[in-house]
């Protein structure tokens, strides 16, 4: 067997000189010439400058989550892997100590090469040094795995994560309890030795306040017995009326360690995320143990951001910090202690409840206090520390009941995740915080799928990200890239999450040990160009949805907008109260944040997290009144004339709130509706319309950005959530896009796969918008730009365009307007200057279905060691295209296949002829070569290739190179782990057709 693994990303992408968008320069690319009199060159696409779109810079290219087995890494291998990532066209990596697949942690020897150790630091230095050479950036997780933890913190330290555990004992009416303070219902974790009794209370049971899971209590009856405790015991006689309960509250450490530890010696324990001391434990460790002079210098050269994963604090009790009682009193003006019964938790379940409305208000105030502490002492403090080192802070600010929308405004880069987020509104929450604060990037941990290791396809990844980009994401951190090896791992090498509990794990381990890595440069180029567009200029969103409780990762959307508005073209983002205090929260020309998202209206509805109750804080109501008086249209859904405060009200506070709301509701630009179906009509009545309008409701999603007087619209045929049924279908309808430019404006289509810009030749326009036809397969995306003529090197100037046509396509060429058709006939084109032209095409060759293929396969097998691959070469002749799993010789194969066929074109074939190669079903990645010329990358979700200009009369050789995931081989090589996965249908399965067309000039 031959060892000949292709490890490279392929040849360098074509680079051509063209227009620089930033500079406004115009340079035309010479069109393909014609050898036949009267023939129309198969051209009309202008290439963008490598300075902007064609070859996006490293700074906007996708990154990898780079998993290390702690510090058991070789600096030379680290440098090689940086080169692999760079050669494949990616922009950087995030170093994370993650090794869930290694169950025997003793093999990693945390004492000698744990996280934060000298070998780990040597690896970090090697990564930063090579990244600086290659122009990549390196992000660093703040601790090993997640949540944030550092060595040196013990479970009993004040800096460690804390919990408030409770104990309870029932006492009958008139009975006397004499004995020890009730013990917590859950024992402390074994390393915890310290605890502090915060309080002991008695409360009368009130059945009227009970719920299915909660014991009802009477708040007025709560009595503090703490001072009666002597030597851990108390004596108390219950009043004669009612049944009573004694409740004890114990503060202690959680002893939580980061996932899949231990990662270090001494072991790292999760820090208190709500206190300055907890954050200081993190920054202090870095300052003492990691940030040597060399590391500091390298961070300035190649450092990107410190990263914190989602806030997954694990406790059977209530998250806590010592400062909570004081902070609660400072924020609310009242003591926290009487409210504790309504707050304690038992495995995430509430235990006690007072009257329902009061209980909701208590819990709101508590979590608002927690949110304040988290955003002040953790998020802000870590961000400021990162800035002192020339770094940014990127984080997933959710997992607790805290205001993640406000957190996103504090962070340099907020991040969501495709695994944990339930739908696109979860991203729109973070996007609101980002855009109101004037930040640029919203990141996404992308492509983690449960049980899909080594079977994840890039088309699945692209379908997932398509909708996320429409919802505001513009940076992809791919999940992920594993370091090459670790003790005891099997082929194809170390994978952080596979095996996972004995089976295939999360996501994928992309890299050169995967066949599809051969085409990874195409994926990186596509993602980078999408990022480039979506990080350009400023965002635009139609409506801001005010959310009283700023959670995310909940799957809770907005009334009318999520289900009805989005399919019509509306876009929205979510704001919470703190965002209305930002400098951007001003109104000009009827727009909120006019220099940013420029929301045209604010939508306010009841709080979904508290039974959709119409609630509003008095200070937030005053902010809304200020905005409305400045001219912002507001639509309110619900009985806000009877609104309640979200927290426990001060005396007369509810009346004061309603007085403010009365003034708000009396304004002409404020509309109240009681039925969510009336929201759209209310907006229309206020003169508010979306920037994008669809001819028919559809699954089309859009994201609008403005740079100068150029509008960019990212369009994706996606869905609100991956679990939505039925599947998305192909769309084909008109889309009307609002334009910023007042002068001559023309539309361009930007192809993120090739980096090419095409001036669209068929459209209509009115005073403020341009209407184009959009056709997209499921998951497919495109970019439409509206700008001045010549913006992308286009030389068509003021030539007339088509406003309607019955041809397959109308396009501009270097000789003028042309039609492209796949059937003979006479075609009518109505032009923008009022004339109607007819074009006759007498003949078009019929479609060709290749009937024989030669398939050359590089079949991948385990090699001599965990990271070596043996390749067996096979050649087959196929009369019918079938998945490899249905071809006996390839049933368990994985690798790279090259399908080769020939087609014979007629002798009258000219340069006015072309053809589309329709590949049908092909999985996973592919490239096409025609007559020895490799073509530009093709849209993975629309596998149709334009072969115009590459075909010739007579014999033509077409080759389709296909790379597959590894799962079919791993099923056979490691059946104990992967054997339960069904064989996957990989390869070119078609049907494949070559559909000729003829291109002819429109004689205007």
């Amino acid at each position: 067997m031959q060892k000949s693994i292709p490890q490279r990303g392929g040849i360098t992408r074509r680079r051509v000189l063209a227009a620089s968008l930033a500079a406004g320069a115009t340079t035309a690319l010479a069109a393909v010439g014609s050898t036949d009199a009267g023939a129309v060159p198969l051209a009309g696409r202008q290439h963008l400058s490598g300075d902007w779109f064609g070859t996006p810079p490293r700074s906007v290219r996708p990154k990898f989550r780079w998993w290390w087995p702690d510090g058991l890494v070789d600096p030379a291998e680290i440098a090689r892997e940086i080169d692999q990532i760079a050669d494949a066209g990616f922009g950087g990596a995030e170093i994370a100590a993650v090794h869930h697949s290694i169950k025997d942690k003793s093999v990693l020897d945390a004492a000698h090469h744990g996280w934060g150790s000298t070998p780990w630091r040597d690896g970090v230095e090697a990564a930063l040094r090579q990244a600086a050479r290659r122009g990549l950036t390196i992000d660093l997780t703040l601790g090993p795995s997640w949540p944030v933890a550092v060595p040196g913190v013990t479970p009993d330290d004040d800096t460690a994560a804390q919990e408030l555990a409770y104990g309870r004992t029932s006492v009958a009416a008139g009975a006397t309890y004499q004995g020890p303070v009730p013990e917590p219902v859950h024992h402390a974790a074994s390393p915890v030795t310290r605890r502090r009794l915060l309080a002991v209370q008695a409360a009368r049971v009130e059945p009227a306040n009970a719920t299915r899971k909660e014991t009802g209590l009477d708040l007025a009856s709560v009595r503090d017995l703490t001072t009666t405790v002597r030597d851990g015991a108390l004596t108390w006689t219950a009043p004669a009326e009612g049944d009573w309960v004694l409740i004890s509250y114990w503060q202690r450490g959680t002893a939580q360690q980061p996932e899949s530890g231990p990662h270090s010696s001494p072991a790292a324990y999760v820090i208190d995320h709500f206190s300055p001391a907890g954050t200081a434990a993190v920054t202090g460790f870095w300052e003492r143990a990691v940030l040597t002079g060399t590391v500091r210098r390298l961070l300035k050269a190649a450092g990107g951001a410190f990263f914190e994963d989602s806030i997954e604090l694990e406790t059977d009790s209530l998250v806590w910090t010592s400062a909570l009682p004081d902070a609660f009193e400072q924020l609310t003006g009242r003591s926290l202690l009487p409210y504790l019964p309504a707050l304690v938790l038992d495995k995430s379940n509430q235990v006690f409840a007072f009257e329902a409305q009061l209980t909701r208000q208590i819990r709101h105030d508590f979590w608002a206090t927690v949110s304040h502490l988290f955003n002040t002492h953790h998020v802000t403090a870590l961000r400021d520390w990162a800035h002192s080192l020339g770094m940014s802070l990127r984080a997933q600010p959710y997992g607790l009941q805290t205001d993640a929308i406000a957190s996103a405004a504090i962070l340099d880069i907020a991040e969501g995740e495709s695994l944990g987020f339930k739908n696109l509104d979860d991203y729109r929450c973070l996007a609101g915080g980002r855009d109101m604060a004037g930040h640029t990037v919203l990141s996404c941990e992308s492509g983690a799928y449960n049980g899909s290791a080594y079977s994840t396809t890039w088309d699945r990844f692209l379908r997932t990200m398509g909708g996320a980009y429409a919802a505001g994401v513009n940076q992809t951190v791919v999940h992920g890239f594993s370091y090459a090896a670790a003790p005891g791992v099997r082929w194809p090498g170390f994978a952080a999450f596979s095996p996972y509990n004995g089976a295939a794990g999360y996501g994928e381990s992309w890299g050169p040990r995967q066949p599809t890595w051969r085409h990874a440069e195409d994926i990186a180029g596509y993602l980078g160009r999408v990022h480039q567009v979506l990080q350009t200029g400023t965002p635009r969103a139609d409506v801001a949805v005010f959310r009283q409780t700023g959670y995310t990762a909940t799957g809770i959307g907005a009334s009318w907008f999520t289900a009805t508005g989005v399919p019509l073209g509306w876009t929205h983002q979510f704001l919470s109260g703190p965002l209305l205090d930002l400098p951007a929260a001003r109104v000009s020309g009827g727009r909120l944040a006019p220099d940013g998202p420029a929301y045209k209206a604010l939508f306010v509805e009841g709080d979904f997290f508290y039974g959709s109750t119409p609630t509003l804080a008095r200070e937030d109501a005053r902010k809304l009144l200020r905005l409305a008086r400045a001219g912002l249209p507001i639509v309110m859904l619900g009985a806000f004339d009877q609104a309640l405060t979200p927290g426990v009200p001060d005396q007369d506070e509810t009346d004061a709130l309603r007085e403010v709301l009365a003034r708000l509701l009396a304004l002409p630009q404020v509309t109240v509706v009681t039925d969510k179906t009336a929201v759209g009509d209310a907006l229309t009545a206020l003169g508010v319309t979306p920037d994008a309008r669809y001819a028919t409701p559809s699954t089309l999603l859009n994201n609008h950005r403005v740079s100068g007087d150029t509008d960019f619209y990212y369009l994706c045929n996606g869905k609100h959530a991956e679990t939505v049924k039925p599947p998305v279908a192909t769309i084909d309808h008109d889309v009307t896009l609002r334009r910023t430019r007042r002068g001559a404006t023309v539309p361009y289509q930007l192809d993120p796969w090739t980096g090419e810009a095409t001036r669209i030749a068929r459209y209509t326009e009115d005073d403020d918008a341009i209407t184009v036809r959009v056709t997209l397969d499921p998951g497919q995306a495109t970019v439409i730009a509206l700008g001045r003529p010549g913006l992308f090197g286009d030389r068509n100037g003021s030539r007339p365009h088509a406003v309607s046509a019955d041809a397959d396509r109308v396009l501009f060429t270097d000789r003028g307007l042309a039609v492209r058709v796949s059937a003979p006939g006479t075609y009518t084109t109505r032009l923008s200057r009022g004339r109607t032209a007819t074009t006759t095409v007498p003949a078009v060759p019929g479609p060709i279905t290749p009937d024989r293929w030669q398939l050359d396969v590089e079949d991948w097998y385990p090699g001599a060691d965990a990271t070596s691959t043996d390749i067996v070469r096979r050649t087959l002749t196929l009369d019918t295209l079938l998945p490899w799993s249905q071809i006996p010789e390839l049933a368990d194969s994985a690798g790279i296949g090259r399908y080769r066929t020939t087609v014979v074109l007629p002798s009258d074939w000219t340069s006015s002829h072309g053809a589309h190669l329709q590949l049908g079903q092909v999985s996973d990645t592919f490239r096409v070569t025609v007559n020895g010329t490799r073509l530009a990358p093709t849209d993975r979700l629309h596998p149709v290739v334009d072969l115009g200009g590459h075909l010739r009369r007579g014999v033509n050789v077409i080759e389709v190179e296909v790379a597959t995931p590894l799962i079919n081989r791993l099923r056979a090589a490691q059946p104990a782990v992967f054997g339960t996965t069904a064989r996957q249908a990989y390869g070119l399965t078609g049907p494949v057709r070559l559909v000729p067309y003829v291109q002819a000039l429109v004689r205007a």
Side-chain angles (χ1 to χ4, degrees):
M1 290 186 289
Q2 184 177 7
K3 301 177 185 292
S4 56
I5 310 170
Q7 301 278 350
R8 296 172 292 107
I11 65 173
T12 304
R13 185 181 297 106
R14 292 179 299 164
R15 298 176 182 235
V16 294
L17 296 176
S20 169
L21 179 64
T26 57
T27 306
L29 179 69
V32 178
S34 171
T35 58
D36 294 0
V40 180
L42 304 182
R45 294 182 293 184
Q46 286 73 40
H47 296 258
L48 294 179
S49 167
D51 293 334
W52 190 75
F53 186 69
T55 306
R58 294 282 188 186
S59 61
V60 301
R61 287 176 173 265
K63 303 173 181 286
F64 275 111
R65 186 147 291 168
W66 189 10
W67 297 305
W68 291 12
D70 295 329
L72 189 58
V73 294
D74 175 18
E77 173 60 27
I78 290 295
R80 281 192 293 272
E81 293 183 8
I82 286 288
D83 285 340
Q84 291 163 358
I85 291 169
D87 290 345
F90 289 79
E94 167 209 310
I95 298 173
V98 178
H99 42 70
H100 287 58
S101 59
I102 301 176
K103 292 303 180 184
D104 183 1
K105 305 306 178 186
S106 64
V107 303
L108 293 178
D109 191 7
H112 291 91
H113 42 250
W115 182 87
S117 65
T118 298
W120 176 84
R121 194 175 63 235
D122 290 344
V124 170
E125 291 183 6
L128 288 165
R129 189 172 287 110
Q130 190 66 8
R133 295 188 183 108
R134 297 302 307 270
L136 272 62
T137 55
I138 297 297
D139 295 351
L140 296 163
T141 59
L142 286 165
S145 196
W146 68 91
V148 175
V150 290
V153 174
T154 72
D156 289 331
D157 290 344
D158 292 337
T159 56
Q162 303 288 302
E163 66 183 8
L164 189 68
Y166 80 97
R168 65 183 295 176
T169 296
S170 297
V171 183
T176 298
Y177 175 85
Q178 186 173 12
V181 172
E183 286 291 314
V185 297
H186 293 288
H187 296 298
S190 57
V192 175
T193 62
R194 291 176 52 197
R195 64 180 186 177
R196 181 171 73 87
L197 181 64
L198 179 69
V200 181
Q201 294 172 338
R204 183 172 58 81
V205 175
E206 178 51 73
N209 294 336
T211 68
R212 187 169 61 87
K213 292 184 178 181
E214 301 164 323
T215 301
L217 301 178
D218 175 20
L219 175 61
S221 72
V222 174
R223 304 182 181 193
D224 186 0
L225 308 179
T226 311
T227 58
T228 69
V229 175
R230 298 291 183 270
D231 298 324
L234 68 92
T235 300
W236 179 73
T237 300
E241 299 82 19
D243 294 324
W244 292 74
V245 62
L246 291 177
I247 311 171
S248 59
Y249 307 93
W250 304 87
Q251 180 178 341
R252 64 194 186 193
T254 66
Q256 184 181 356
Q257 292 184 270
E259 285 270 341
S260 194
H263 294 271
S264 60
S265 182
Y269 286 91
V270 175
I271 56 97
D272 183 351
H273 283 59
F274 314 111
S275 72
T279 299
V282 177
T283 59
F285 177 84
W286 278 83
E287 298 283 354
R288 294 189 308 273
V290 179
L291 295 175
T292 64
T294 299
V295 171
R296 289 174 186 268
R297 288 192 296 273
L298 289 170
L299 287 177
K300 293 184 182 300
F306 288 109
F307 173 67
E308 180 175 12
D309 215 315
S310 52
I311 315 302
E312 300 176 27
L313 300 182
E314 297 175 355
T315 169
D316 290 332
S317 304
L318 181 69
V319 294
W320 195 255
T321 187
S322 297
L324 253 171
D326 288 343
F328 185 92
E329 188 160 0
Q330 290 171 5
L331 290 174
T332 68
R334 60 183 65 89
S335 173
L336 173 62
L337 295 183
Y339 299 143
L340 284 177
L343 299 170
V344 291
L345 298 175
D346 186 349
K347 296 183 178 179
S348 301
N349 295 313
Q350 305 288 163
V351 181
F352 304 105
F354 302 124
E355 182 272 328
Q357 177 180 311
L358 178 61
T359 300
R360 172 185 59 77
Q361 293 170 325
I362 291 169
R363 291 170 183 170
H364 178 277
D365 284 345
F366 174 79
W367 287 108
T369 304
V370 173
S371 185
H372 167 75
L373 294 174
F374 175 70
N375 282 332
T376 301
H377 298 312
H378 190 77
V379 180
T380 302
L382 285 173
R383 181 203 62 189
D384 293 347
W385 173 75
H387 289 180
S388 73
L389 297 167
M391 298 279 283
S392 300
L393 180 63
R394 173 169 58 89
Q396 298 175 353
Y398 48 86
L400 296 173
Q401 297 179 56
T402 55
D403 189 346
I405 298 175
S407 300
I410 298 168
L411 291 164
D412 298 302
I413 303 171
E415 180 169 288
E417 57 179 289
S418 63
L419 178 66
F421 276 18
K422 298 174 177 62
N423 55 41
L424 299 184
D425 280 325
D426 286 339
Y427 296 108
R428 294 183 179 112
C429 289
L430 299 180
R434 173 199 63 182
D435 292 342
M436 284 295 290
H439 302 310
T440 299
V441 176
L442 173 57
S443 185
C444 180
E445 175 189 339
S446 308
Y449 307 106
N450 187 17
S452 296
Y454 297 110
S455 63
T456 301
T457 57
W458 280 109
D459 69 328
R460 182 180 185 184
F461 181 96
L462 294 169
R463 290 177 197 275
T464 298
M465 291 309 301
Y469 288 137
V473 169
N474 56 10
Q475 173 176 283
T476 305
V477 181
V478 181
H479 187 288
F481 187 107
S482 294
Y483 180 78
V489 303
R490 300 177 62 182
W491 183 82
F494 171 62
F497 291 100
S498 203
Y500 188 74
N501 295 329
Y506 283 88
E508 198 56 85
S509 279
W510 306 106
R513 292 172 279 134
Q514 289 267 26
T516 58
W517 191 252
R518 181 175 181 86
H519 304 149
E521 187 180 15
D522 299 347
I523 304 294
Y526 169 83
L527 297 174
R529 294 185 191 99
V530 171
H531 297 168
Q532 179 74 317
V533 169
L534 296 182
Q535 292 184 30
T536 293
T538 56
R540 291 288 186 266
D542 295 323
V543 174
V545 177
F546 185 77
R547 177 152 277 178
Q548 295 93 324
T549 305
Y551 307 159
T552 193
T554 65
I556 294 178
S559 290
W560 190 80
F561 289 97
T562 297
T564 303
V566 169
L568 296 174
W570 289 90
T571 58
H572 64 279
Q573 295 178 344
F574 294 88
L575 311 184
S576 63
L579 270 59
L580 299 184
D581 294 321
L582 294 173
R586 64 182 184 87
V587 176
S588 177
R591 301 292 185 95
L592 172 61
D595 299 326
Y599 307 113
K600 304 168 193 171
L602 185 68
F603 175 65
V604 186
E605 62 182 326
D607 193 336
F608 272 131
F609 298 98
Y610 293 101
S612 295
T613 305
T615 61
L616 206 58
R618 180 174 54 180
E619 289 306 310
D620 288 339
R622 289 170 175 165
K623 297 171 191 176
L624 299 188
L625 179 61
R626 171 178 57 82
L627 297 175
R629 283 175 168 169
L632 179 68
I634 296 178
V635 175
M636 307 185 79
L637 172 60
F640 276 91
D641 57 335
Q642 296 298 311
L644 301 170
T645 59
V648 178
D650 292 333
Q651 185 176 4
D652 300 326
E653 185 178 359
T654 301
D655 291 339
L657 166 66
R658 292 176 181 176
E659 188 275 329
V660 174
L661 285 172
R663 285 183 279 155
L664 175 68
L665 299 177
L667 296 175
Q669 61 270 37
V670 178
T671 298
V672 178
V673 295
T674 57
D675 186 341
K676 65 182 179 182
T677 62
V679 171
D681 291 340
L683 290 167
T684 300
L686 290 169
V688 179
T689 57
D691 283 347
R693 304 190 300 277
Y694 306 157
T696 181
S698 73
T699 52
L700 186 63
L701 305 165
N702 78 84
N703 186 340
H704 182 197
R705 296 187 73 91
V706 176
S707 179
D709 61 357
T710 301
D711 294 90
F712 294 93
Y713 286 90
Y714 167 87
L715 304 173
C716 175
N717 182 13
K719 53 187 176 181
H720 181 56
E722 286 200 357
T723 57
V724 170
K725 305 295 182 184
V728 172
T730 296
I731 61 169
D732 182 8
H733 60 69
D734 285 345
V735 176
T736 301
L737 305 173
R738 194 186 310 272
R739 59 182 177 183
T740 298
R741 182 178 173 83
R742 294 296 99 187
T745 306
V746 297
Y748 300 87
Q749 185 167 18
L750 278 59
D751 184 347
W753 286 99
T754 64
E756 296 170 334
T758 306
R759 178 162 165 181
I760 297 172
R762 176 186 169 184
Y763 62 95
T764 60
E765 55 186 330
D766 57 26
D767 291 339
D768 69 345
I770 287 178
T771 299
V772 297
R773 192 78 176 180
V774 173
T775 303
L776 292 172
D777 282 344
Q780 189 185 4
T782 190
V783 175
I784 304 295
L786 309 179
R788 60 176 174 79
L791 178 64
F792 297 103
D794 161 50
R795 289 185 172 179
N796 289 287
S798 59
R799 284 177 175 174
H801 62 272
V803 296
S804 66
D806 52 10
D808 298 340
R809 184 182 173 195
V810 184
L811 68 158
F812 285 111
T813 73
D814 61 344
R815 298 181 61 194
L817 201 65
V819 294
R820 180 178 289 183
V821 296
S822 57
T826 298
Y827 295 88
T828 301
T829 305
R830 189 161 63 89
L831 302 175
S832 55
R833 294 179 181 172
R835 290 194 57 224
T836 298
T838 58
T839 306
T840 300
V841 176
V844 181
I848 300 171
T849 301
D851 58 4
R852 177 160 294 198
W853 296 82
Q854 177 179 308
L855 172 58
D856 296 320
V857 174
E858 295 179 4
D859 196 353
W860 288 34
Y861 283 82
D865 56 51
T867 58
S868 296
T869 297
D870 291 337
I871 292 177
V872 174
R873 299 183 182 275
R874 309 179 191 277
T875 298
L876 296 84
T877 299
L878 304 177
D879 296 326
T880 302
L881 291 172
L882 294 171
W884 289 13
S885 56
Q886 296 180 25
I887 301 173
E889 299 91 334
L890 303 177
D892 292 320
S893 296
I896 298 170
R898 295 176 183 86
Y899 295 78
R900 189 176 295 106
T901 192
T902 58
V903 295
V904 179
L905 298 177
S907 59
D908 60 353
W909 189 273
T910 69
S911 60
S912 64
H913 288 80
H916 290 113
L917 180 65
Q918 300 175 351
L919 294 177
Q921 181 63 39
V922 55
S923 184
D924 180 27
T925 58
F926 64 90
R927 285 174 174 167
V928 175
T929 299
V930 178
N931 296 324
T933 299
R934 199 187 83 186
L935 306 188
T938 302
D939 192 332
R940 177 68 192 84
L941 300 179
H942 181 67
V944 177
V945 190
D946 184 359
L947 305 188
H950 299 285
L951 296 170
R952 60 198 179 205
R953 62 176 65 94
V955 177
N956 293 262
V957 179
I958 297 174
E959 180 179 286
V960 182
E961 180 181 83
V962 180
T964 79
L966 279 178
I967 188 64
N968 286 354
R969 174 58 60 207
L970 283 167
R971 288 179 70 259
Q974 296 186 45
V977 177
F978 301 100
T980 58
T981 303
R983 285 194 180 104
Q984 303 296 298
Y986 297 135
L988 176 62
T989 57
V992 176
R993 292 201 317 159
L994 188 72
V995 181
Y997 60 75
V998 169
Q999 196 164 289
L1001 284 173
V1002 174
R1003 302 299 179 181

